[in-house]
Amino acid sequence: MAPRGAAKAGWGSRSFALFACAVLLASCLLFLLCERFDNKYRQTNAANGSIAAAFDTPSADEADGVGEAGTTDELGWLDEMDEMGGSDGLLFLVHGWEIYRGQLLTPRDFAAGSAAVAPTPSGIISIGDPAAFEGADAFGNIHGNASYRLVLDLPPEPAAYAIALPEIFSACRVWINGVEVAAFGTLAGSASQVRQEKRPPVSSPAYQPQTGEALVSFLAQGRVELLIAASDYSYIYSGLVYPPAFGTPQAVSHLMNTRLLLRAVACTLALLLGAFFLISGILMRKNRLMLLFAALALCFIGYTAYPLVAALSASSMLKYAVESFCFPAMILLVVLLCRQILREETPRGTGDALAFCLRAVLALGVVVCVCSLLRSALAPGNLPVLAAYSLLIELYKWAAALVLTLEVLRAARKPVRYSRSLLIGILVFDAALIMDRLLPLFEPILLGWFLEIAGFVLMLCFFAVIVRETLRLWREKLALESRVAGVTRLIEMERSYYPIILEGIQEARATRHDLRHHLSTLRELAQDGDITRIKQYLASYERAPKSAGGADAAPLQYSDNHIADVIIRHFAKRAAQTGTSIAVASEIGDDLPLDEADLSVILGNLLENAVEACERIVAGEKNAHEGDKHKGGAQQQSERRVTVSLRVISAELLIHIENSYDGLPPAPVRTAAEKDAAAVPAADDARSIAAEPAATAGLGNLSSLHGIGIESVKAAAARYGGTAVFCPEPAAQLYRVVVILPLSPLQ
């Protein structure tokens, strides 16, 4: 029979469009909030019309707005912070940086010599502008050397400050007021060597790339000079790409600790989920879905864990190669997971073109992953290679997003199972790509980049889908095991029913044989006209037992439905051995439009629980009234009973079973060791064990399934859109079960 509720109706076009638009708009709103409240470029160090006006305090010789080295925008730190409402004591040094392209400068270059020979900046830049090392030569090379200088005008009173240095690509030295406070890697030559070249050298034997983050605290007052010299021949980015954080030591330390904590929580969660599903996938005979999710979680860690690596220790450029590979690999795994989840439900024919596009995206993803490895290993600083790779990765992102969106939208419109959960993740990914283009001037303070947030949401969506699918398969497995157990039990019941049939046939033969003698005797009495003797003979015949079972022998048939009759007869025989009375009212026949295995599961589990509940009354009363068996026995016989009602009302099968029980909560589930120990009976238990019916000897370990009997009944009822209600009444020591199954023709 086709299970009820197996297929849900598809969405209306209006509801579906509203849902998709709501998810997309909510995702865009989330990223807008991130851009507004978690953006370094919204909390900067210079005058910005969209933020607040800066309050500079220039010295006398800087009244014309130009400092001794041609600097501008020297700011009054506390005044600006108060104006911006920066009570947390934290700003980001974005604006007013002097850049000296092609030069590696030190504090001596600014302290020695006159103003005429002082270094002249190539320009004034803001961090985030597309102007790092570009323009150092006529070829527009993004690699080479550069120096950055920023002058801050702090209050005259000495105070403690801190600066959080971000990753500077790909080797650097940092000075504050002429004191070197940080160094990563080895620069490509000295300042004099660079000046003698007409263009930055291709590289230097001394150049060693290394990046990291650093927290520097210092005491300062008045004028403060920050100088950074950087060399890069290794990475896509070059020089000072991210703005440093500047403020009180407490504020800067709190910023770094909170940021690392959030990133550690996300990566730890991904690691735990990935490890769990990796082990589960291997143990479950290489479950493809779980293994793909484990790989996705590991790639998410590789893509997002760089702040943790950079903060813990200085490292080589290998971490960027891992990050560069994990991002396209993560998208590839998302495509594979979507395809795996939706593959069985995707119809053929109408989806052929989309399926071809999906395979093309998979092939492109493999190519991008391979190119990422080759670029990092063979051409880390080659400009044409970097440009081609950047174009390829951009094409891959948008192609994957487009194909995934169309595929999941088509599946969700049906709807296909789990497609709506996938739709949420894919639309968040789409919104991240769109907002990344619309809001290019964004760098997170605490959270993550748009694509990192989208990757985390996608991972959670896939986690929810896999958990739901695993639970669904587990429930199906339990239901299948219960059906197998029910069928096996039914076969054993049929075997136990066969001797009863043979016994009935033998009794019928004996009765037919005896009937001839009775008729012969009555005929002779009738010929004699002795009516009194005939009446006495008939009365004696009526008082005689009808079978070996006596006057209380079980009826030959309990129900016109063969399966129900076999099951009831089996448990009636078992109940009779413990003195439990069973009353049956059945109005169903063999034409019942119900799967026989499901009927066996429902009726068998319910009757088994009912009879066992009555058997527990026997054991309990025996222990409680061991000294007064006769008095307790009469009470037990009146309390141990089971009533069964089977009828069809308004195209619904109504199963009502009522039994007496001891009113106590069910016993706890025993462990395997406890079950083994219980296998050796005590002397007091000999009678109850001897009372077990011989017909159940062939059931083996089926009794271990009793713990899931109620769940099996509920699951079987749910497949038909029915209900199963269990109503214990401890005060009355009664237990009632009502199962209602809507009936329809078998399909």
Side-chain angles (χ1 to χ4, degrees):
M1 180 174 182
R4 299 293 184 94
K8 298 180 180 179
W11 287 359
S13 300
R14 191 173 189 179
S15 300
F16 176 76
L18 287 175
F19 175 79
C21 291
V23 173
L24 190 61
L25 290 176
S27 304
C28 292
L29 178 61
L30 170 65
F31 296 130
L32 280 173
L33 292 175
C34 290
E35 193 277 337
R36 179 62 183 87
F37 298 104
D38 190 50
N39 188 3
K40 293 180 179 179
Y41 297 100
R42 290 280 189 174
Q43 193 171 339
T44 63
N45 66 310
N48 190 319
S50 62
I51 305 293
F55 289 80
D56 296 338
T57 56
S59 58
D61 59 341
E62 296 168 344
D64 57 354
V66 180
E68 61 181 74
T71 65
T72 61
D73 292 333
E74 295 179 350
L75 58 119
W77 165 251
L78 291 182
D79 289 341
E80 180 179 351
M81 208 164 47
D82 292 339
E83 177 70 17
M84 294 179 60
S87 58
D88 56 351
L90 182 69
L91 290 177
F92 294 91
L93 305 179
V94 174
H95 304 290
W97 287 90
E98 303 170 2
I99 184 170
Y100 300 82
R101 295 189 177 93
Q103 303 181 59
L104 295 176
L105 305 177
T106 65
R108 294 181 181 178
D109 295 307
F110 295 94
S114 62
V117 296
T120 302
S122 305
I124 306 296
I125 67 168
S126 295
I127 305 302
D129 291 343
F133 291 177
E134 294 92 333
D137 54 39
F139 299 95
N141 199 341
I142 64 171
H143 294 111
N145 303 287
S147 297
Y148 302 84
R149 181 171 178 264
L150 180 66
V151 178
L152 302 176
D153 189 13
L154 302 180
E157 297 82 9
Y161 298 96
I163 183 170
L165 294 173
E167 299 165 290
I168 302 174
F169 301 96
S170 291
C172 68
R173 296 176 66 187
V174 182
W175 296 268
I176 296 179
N177 281 345
V179 178
E180 185 171 0
V181 294
F184 296 96
T186 304
L187 299 177
S190 63
S192 60
Q193 290 175 333
V194 174
R195 287 178 185 177
Q196 293 173 2
E197 299 285 342
K198 295 182 180 179
R199 54 172 292 174
V202 174
S203 184
S204 168
Y207 169 72
Q208 291 293 333
Q210 187 185 56
T211 61
E213 295 182 353
L215 176 62
V216 179
S217 299
F218 57 94
L219 290 174
Q221 63 185 99
R223 183 187 181 86
V224 174
E225 179 189 62
L226 177 62
L227 180 62
I228 301 173
S231 295
D232 177 73
Y233 296 94
S234 308
Y235 196 50
I236 300 174
Y237 307 127
S238 54
L240 187 59
V241 179
Y242 310 119
F246 183 72
T248 63
Q250 296 83 357
V252 177
S253 178
H254 177 73
L255 165 70
M256 295 190 67
N257 292 336
T258 305
R259 175 172 172 259
L260 293 178
L261 177 62
L262 293 175
R263 193 59 61 106
V265 168
C267 291
T268 301
L269 178 62
L271 179 62
L272 292 177
L273 294 179
F276 173 76
F277 280 106
L278 177 62
I279 296 173
S280 301
I282 294 175
L283 294 179
M284 294 178 66
R285 299 180 180 180
K286 297 182 179 179
N287 185 290
R288 180 180 175 86
L289 201 60
M290 291 186 175
L291 294 178
L292 285 174
F293 179 83
L296 175 65
L298 294 178
C299 285
F300 175 80
I301 295 173
Y303 176 54
T304 60
Y306 61 89
L308 298 175
V309 178
L312 292 176
S313 63
S315 58
S316 64
M317 306 303 291
L318 179 62
K319 61 184 178 185
Y320 301 109
V322 173
E323 176 190 353
S324 178
F325 169 77
C326 286
F327 176 67
M330 189 169 65
I331 297 179
L332 177 62
L333 290 168
V334 168
V335 177
L336 287 172
L337 279 166
C338 287
R339 185 181 182 218
Q340 179 72 18
I341 294 171
L342 303 177
R343 180 177 58 183
E344 297 181 357
E345 304 290 342
T346 301
R348 297 183 180 274
T350 57
D352 285 346
L354 196 55
F356 174 78
C357 294
L358 198 62
R359 289 192 294 269
V361 169
L362 288 173
L364 180 60
V366 174
V367 171
V368 173
C369 291
V370 173
C371 290
S372 173
L373 295 175
L374 294 177
R375 181 200 63 79
S376 300
L378 303 179
N382 187 281
L383 183 58
V385 172
L386 292 177
Y389 177 75
S390 178
L391 180 62
L392 181 64
I393 196 73
E394 200 69 21
L395 173 65
Y396 174 54
K397 287 190 300 186
W398 287 97
L402 178 61
V403 173
L404 283 175
T405 302
L406 294 176
E407 175 72 11
V408 177
L409 281 174
R410 183 178 64 84
R413 184 65 180 84
K414 298 291 180 183
V416 176
R417 184 187 293 119
Y418 310 131
S419 58
R420 298 178 186 179
S421 299
L422 296 179
L423 180 61
I424 295 175
I426 297 302
L427 289 178
V428 172
F429 179 67
D430 295 341
L433 288 176
I434 295 171
M435 300 306 288
D436 188 57
R437 282 297 173 190
L438 296 179
L439 304 172
L441 201 62
F442 169 76
E443 183 181 342
I445 298 176
L446 295 177
L447 299 179
W449 301 87
F450 294 155
L451 289 176
E452 291 176 343
I453 296 175
F456 187 74
V457 172
L458 272 170
M459 186 179 66
L460 293 182
C461 290
F462 283 119
F463 169 72
V465 167
I466 294 174
V467 168
R468 288 168 58 192
E469 175 67 7
T470 303
L471 292 177
R472 184 184 70 84
L473 294 177
W474 179 73
R475 286 193 297 266
E476 288 185 354
K477 180 175 179 291
L478 288 182
L480 180 60
E481 290 177 351
S482 179
R483 287 169 64 88
V484 171
V487 172
T488 305
R489 179 165 47 193
L490 185 61
I491 293 173
E492 295 296 334
M493 292 178 185
E494 292 275 11
R495 290 177 180 175
S496 66
Y497 188 47
Y498 181 69
I500 297 176
I501 296 176
L502 294 180
E503 183 181 352
I505 294 173
Q506 186 65 29
E507 289 179 357
R509 288 176 178 174
T511 302
R512 182 178 179 183
H513 179 270
D514 294 340
L515 184 61
R516 291 201 306 267
H517 296 288
H518 293 310
L519 292 176
S520 177
T521 301
L522 290 173
R523 186 181 301 110
E524 292 177 359
L525 292 175
Q527 290 175 353
D528 295 339
D530 194 345
I531 302 301
T532 302
R533 293 281 305 276
I534 292 175
K535 291 180 179 180
Q536 291 176 350
Y537 190 88
L538 291 175
S540 175
Y541 180 79
E542 290 176 351
R543 288 194 300 270
K546 301 302 185 294
S547 65
D552 296 331
L556 293 178
Q557 188 175 17
Y558 284 99
S559 174
D560 291 335
N561 183 281
H562 177 68
I563 299 299
D565 184 65
V566 170
I567 295 173
I568 296 173
R569 183 173 299 280
H570 168 79
F571 286 104
K573 183 178 179 181
R574 177 174 169 180
Q577 293 177 349
T578 57
T580 301
S581 64
I582 182 167
V584 180
S586 174
E587 301 177 4
I588 61 174
D590 281 331
D591 58 346
L592 193 69
L594 193 72
D595 188 271
E596 293 182 350
D598 289 327
L599 180 61
S600 174
V601 167
I602 295 173
L603 197 55
N605 279 301
L606 294 181
L607 284 175
E608 183 178 43
N609 293 341
V611 172
E612 286 184 351
C614 293
E615 291 173 351
R616 283 195 293 270
I617 293 178
V618 174
E621 292 290 334
K622 172 177 174 285
N623 293 331
H625 306 285
E626 187 175 0
D628 192 4
K629 296 181 180 178
H630 296 288
K631 180 180 178 181
Q635 184 179 3
Q636 293 166 21
Q637 293 293 338
S638 63
E639 290 181 351
R640 298 189 303 273
R641 62 183 177 84
V642 178
T643 60
V644 182
S645 174
L646 305 173
R647 62 182 61 185
V648 176
I649 301 177
S650 300
E652 290 182 335
L653 173 62
L654 175 63
I655 301 176
H656 180 271
I657 297 180
E658 181 180 301
N659 64 274
S660 54
Y661 81 115
D662 53 15
L664 300 177
V669 179
R670 295 183 298 176
T671 63
E674 291 172 340
K675 291 179 181 179
D676 293 339
V680 181
D684 292 340
D685 297 331
R687 189 167 64 130
S688 62
I689 294 177
E692 288 291 326
T696 61
L699 297 183
N701 295 326
L702 290 180
S703 60
S704 64
L705 296 174
H706 294 173
I708 62 173
I710 292 179
E711 293 300 324
S712 298
V713 172
K714 291 181 178 179
R719 282 197 295 273
Y720 293 87
T723 57
V725 182
F726 299 82
C727 305
E729 299 180 11
Q733 293 188 335
L734 290 177
Y735 199 100
R736 292 187 175 90
V737 181
V738 177
V739 179
I740 301 176
L741 300 177
L743 301 178
S744 61
L746 285 172
Q747 298 181 5

